[in-house]
Amino acid sequence: QHSPQTLDTVIESVTDSFETFSPFLESTLLVAWLHDAEQCKQVVLNACRKVLQAPIKSERYDWFKLYVFPSSLWMFKAPNSDAYMYEELLSIAQTMSRDIICSMDSIYEHLQTHAQWHKVMAIEN
């Protein structure tokens, strides 16, 4: 059995790791989850949003692939939700990709209004 102070320290350690995109032990994350699943959920998903926001930084994405993505945490039910944690991650990824697609569509629409657009379209591959 862990003391409340020890568990608070574990939560702080996990939070620090996710906020700084630093390595962490899976077992530490799981202990933190058992102590305060809601706070862990917020910490993990906030870090995922930062990793997936444009422009994607390779060092953050590498950290995500190495430490976060393989975690068994994604198979847990999200607290205060009917969804699993992997569904929460997918929702973030879909939202982020939708924002990028909208931005790209907007740029394309703007380029089409340019007086020289027909010359660009006339270029053969």
Side-chain angles (χ1 to χ4, degrees):
Q1 191 71 329
H2 302 287
S3 73
Q5 294 85 2
T6 301
L7 293 172
D8 289 343
T9 301
V10 169
I11 292 278
E12 286 176 29
S13 173
V14 167
T15 300
D16 289 346
S17 293
F18 275 81
E19 288 178 351
T20 60
F21 309 102
S22 301
F24 61 90
L25 295 173
E26 168 84 355
S27 57
T28 305
L29 176 60
L30 298 179
V31 168
W33 180 272
L34 291 174
H35 178 59
D36 190 343
E38 182 59 39
Q39 183 175 351
C40 281
K41 171 188 166 183
Q42 295 308 318
V43 166
V44 169
L45 295 179
N46 285 340
C48 291
R49 283 184 196 90
K50 289 178 184 175
V51 167
L52 297 175
Q53 76 184 17
I56 293 177
K57 296 180 175 128
S58 62
E59 63 277 358
R60 288 183 180 182
Y61 189 67
D62 290 343
W63 167 83
F64 174 81
K65 288 190 307 185
L66 187 61
Y67 295 101
V68 182
F69 191 66
S71 174
S72 58
L73 175 92
W74 301 113
M75 298 302 137
F76 294 175
K77 279 277 200 181
N80 304 313
S81 173
D82 290 332
Y84 286 89
M85 285 296 289
Y86 78 87
E87 293 172 305
E88 300 277 349
L89 176 62
L90 286 174
S91 176
I92 290 169
Q94 289 170 339
T95 299
M96 301 301 251
S97 66
R98 187 171 36 250
D99 292 346
I100 292 169
I101 290 168
C102 287
S103 178
M104 292 173 67
D105 288 347
S106 176
I107 292 168
Y108 182 72
E109 289 171 11
H110 174 73
L111 289 173
Q112 287 179 312
T113 65
H114 195 277
Q116 304 296 320
W117 179 250
H118 68 282
K119 290 182 181 178
V120 173
M121 294 307 293
I123 298 171
E124 293 185 25
N125 290 338

